[in-house]
Amino acid sequence: MRILVTGHQGYIGTVLVPMLLERGHEVSGIDTDWFERCTFAGEMPNVAGVRKDCREVDEDDVAGADAVIHLAGLSNDPLGDYRPELTAAINESASVRLAGLAKKVGVERFLFASSCSNYGAAGVDFLTESAEFRPVTPYGTSKVNVERALSALADDQFSPTYIRASTAYGVSPRLRFDLVVNNLTAWAVTTGEVYLKSDGTPWRPLVHVEDIARAYIAAVEAPRELIHNEAFNVGTTTENYQMREIAEVVQQVVPGCKVAYADDAGPDTRCYRVDCNKIARVLHGFKPQWTVRRGVEQLYEAYRSAELTLEDFEGARYKRIAHIKQLIAQGHLDEQLRWVRPARAMSDDQRVGSTSMASNAG
């Protein structure tokens, strides 16, 4: 199958693309590559790619694909909150426009990177895909609006699918530190404290980045009738945790660390648990491999090997929102987050010990 992956240079894309290639698919990519200087470790995907903002994609960019996997966009709440109008333009309008272009040129499948953030302030009940949307951030709202718009495009020739991933974690060449498991493990390794910025009570569903990739592969390879205009919560139902439980797992894995709370730690409005039985029941190709404990062990070893420091993951170079603001200040990006002049990618010796992000946001 010929598959176009937008955001193929990102956190999920750099894990997904090699797995698609291993399955024998012909893969190409589109990515504006804001974070070209944020490679943590490992090899970047070696596929035909176009460096282009998703707002500027045209018919020629998608023509010939059998499927589009749309990952590109502002990837977290701090970026989404930075300028909500940009979140609407990039995550929402550009996504709907891309889907329209794909449908126009005959692409049969469109897999959209939605999110369990759609459920937002939902409490402690286990939520199926039919649960009410209650997004609490511009990021979550953008995902809800795209799902609704894409559903209106579905017909006999065009099949959108909504991949609602749980909160991701795990090692990737473009590792993110704003995700809660990655973040708490980084705090433990670099400071000896598992540093919680909430009171530890909110619930989160969690899933390893490799298992998210497995979900996309299972969906894109499934019979059309199973995935047409369908949403899937991605993860394992048993992998829902309260923040304090995640902190306890990190404490068990990272020697000598202790759990600490920020002085202003309080409840987080984002609180939800999800039921992932549908994807297990419908997409038999989806076989998740990871638990949070195994993921923390993987992260711990990767951070130790990279000799990760607090400055690495809390500094402007690897914290997503700070990195974007730095690119603007340096004249690489304009205020609309379009390239003025691409920043030069870092050399291998500059990447040693580096990483990508911070905050218990995910």
Side-chain angles (χ1 to χ4, degrees):
M1 187 180 295
R2 293 167 297 181
I3 302 174
L4 171 65
V5 180
T6 72
H8 71 295
Q9 302 278 55
Y11 178 63
I12 296 173
T14 52
V15 174
L16 171 61
V17 168
M19 294 172 70
L20 287 168
L21 293 173
E22 288 176 7
R23 299 284 297 178
H25 297 290
E26 181 181 333
V27 183
S28 59
I30 296 175
D31 201 312
T32 191
D33 211 9
W34 288 325
F35 304 108
E36 63 180 341
R37 296 191 289 181
C38 299
T39 303
F40 175 67
E43 298 295 324
M44 297 296 291
N46 184 20
V47 296
V50 175
R51 182 170 185 145
K52 181 177 281 193
D53 191 300
C54 63
R55 291 168 288 184
E56 310 300 333
V57 171
D58 57 35
E59 292 180 20
D60 290 341
D61 295 319
V62 294
D66 300 308
V68 171
I69 297 178
H70 182 42
L71 306 176
L74 296 169
S75 61
N76 62 18
D77 288 333
L79 278 174
D81 295 341
Y82 172 54
R83 288 192 182 136
E85 71 278 7
L86 286 178
T87 303
I90 295 170
N91 285 16
E92 185 177 334
S93 298
S95 296
V96 176
R97 177 177 171 273
L98 174 64
L101 290 175
K103 179 176 180 176
K104 183 177 180 180
V105 300
V107 176
E108 296 176 2
R109 298 188 181 206
F110 191 94
L111 278 65
F112 173 60
S114 192
S115 172
C116 285
S117 294
N118 292 5
Y119 305 124
V124 300
D125 293 335
F126 282 95
L127 306 173
T128 68
E129 289 80 357
S130 62
E132 181 182 355
F133 291 145
R134 294 179 178 175
V136 296
T137 64
Y139 171 82
T141 299
S142 73
K143 298 297 185 180
V144 169
N145 290 343
V146 173
E147 282 201 28
R148 289 170 172 163
L150 266 56
S151 182
L153 294 176
D155 60 20
D156 291 342
Q157 284 74 47
F158 185 72
S159 294
T161 305
Y162 319 111
I163 304 298
R164 296 180 189 163
S166 299
T167 298
Y169 65 87
V171 174
S172 159
R174 287 278 169 86
L175 187 65
R176 287 177 53 186
F177 284 99
D178 60 323
L179 299 165
V180 61
V181 177
N182 299 357
N183 183 265
L184 292 180
T185 306
W187 276 104
V189 169
T190 60
T191 71
E193 290 188 337
V194 190
Y195 188 64
L196 284 168
K197 298 180 182 180
S198 76
D199 65 2
T201 61
W203 285 92
R204 288 289 189 284
L206 300 168
V207 63
H208 196 281
V209 62
E210 290 180 10
D211 287 338
I212 294 175
R214 290 185 175 96
Y216 279 103
I217 292 169
V220 81
E221 293 180 350
R224 180 182 184 275
E225 63 269 17
L226 298 182
I227 54 85
H228 175 73
N229 204 24
E230 292 286 340
F232 295 95
N233 292 339
V234 176
T236 306
T237 304
T238 55
E239 290 291 292
N240 286 272
Y241 294 79
Q242 285 182 289
M243 291 288 196
R244 63 186 176 218
E245 293 176 318
I246 304 169
E248 289 166 2
V249 172
V250 175
Q251 185 179 31
Q252 292 164 10
V253 172
V254 180
C257 68
K258 61 181 181 180
V259 177
Y261 292 82
D263 292 339
D264 59 350
D268 189 330
T269 55
R270 295 165 303 162
C271 179
Y272 50 91
R273 295 197 287 180
V274 301
D275 181 319
C276 298
N277 289 324
K278 178 181 176 180
I279 191 170
R281 183 178 68 253
V282 175
L283 299 184
H284 296 159
F286 178 61
K287 304 293 182 186
Q289 305 293 313
W290 290 84
T291 63
V292 165
R293 184 180 181 91
R294 283 192 60 219
V296 172
E297 291 170 348
Q298 179 201 39
L299 289 161
Y300 172 56
E301 292 303 323
Y303 294 166
R304 285 211 315 163
S305 296
E307 299 181 351
L308 182 69
T309 68
L310 180 63
E311 182 181 0
D312 284 334
F313 82 91
E314 280 281 282
R317 186 174 145 205
Y318 293 104
K319 192 172 183 177
R320 284 285 197 259
I321 183 63
H323 190 79
I324 289 292
K325 288 180 178 179
Q326 184 180 70
L327 290 175
I328 293 172
Q330 293 173 345
H332 297 297
L333 292 179
D334 66 19
E335 294 293 334
Q336 299 302 308
L337 304 188
R338 288 185 168 89
W339 287 110
V340 176
R341 51 185 179 88
R344 188 177 63 183
M346 307 192 81
S347 63
D348 290 340
D349 61 330
Q350 288 174 299
R351 291 193 186 108
V352 173
S354 70
T355 339
S356 98
M357 242 101 339
S359 137
N360 297 167

